[in-house]
Amino acid sequence: MYVCICNAVTEDDVHGCMASGCTTAKAVKAACGFKPGCGLCTKRIHSMVSEYRASTALADALLGGNDPASSTAA
């Protein structure tokens, strides 16, 4: 499904950017090569990034992954 009609960006494109390390809507837009358009996609991209970050944090908590507090050297 398209997230942005103006730039022909799909949900898969956005998910790919996030999997490659984009953690903000601004970073996703930059990685996808967004040009100024109508702006209707911005809220959806923010939601997608937020959901991705929450699911990643949950997976890390459950699997003992990237916990910034545990990576501090003593």
Side-chain angles (χ1 to χ4, degrees):
M1 175 183 265
Y2 280 98
V3 173
C4 178
I5 300 298
C6 300
N7 290 286
V9 175
T10 65
E11 288 180 346
D12 288 341
D13 296 329
V14 174
H15 286 291
C17 290
M18 292 185 295
S20 296
C22 295
T23 58
T24 65
K26 185 176 182 176
V28 169
K29 286 183 172 189
C32 287
F34 272 66
K35 303 291 184 233
C38 71
L40 292 175
C41 60
T42 301
K43 185 176 180 181
R44 176 67 182 134
I45 293 171
H46 278 283
S47 295
M48 291 178 73
V49 169
S50 180
E51 290 169 10
Y52 183 82
R53 291 173 73 180
S55 66
T56 301
L58 178 59
D60 287 344
L62 292 173
L63 301 174
N66 299 329
D67 181 8
S70 68
S71 65
T72 310

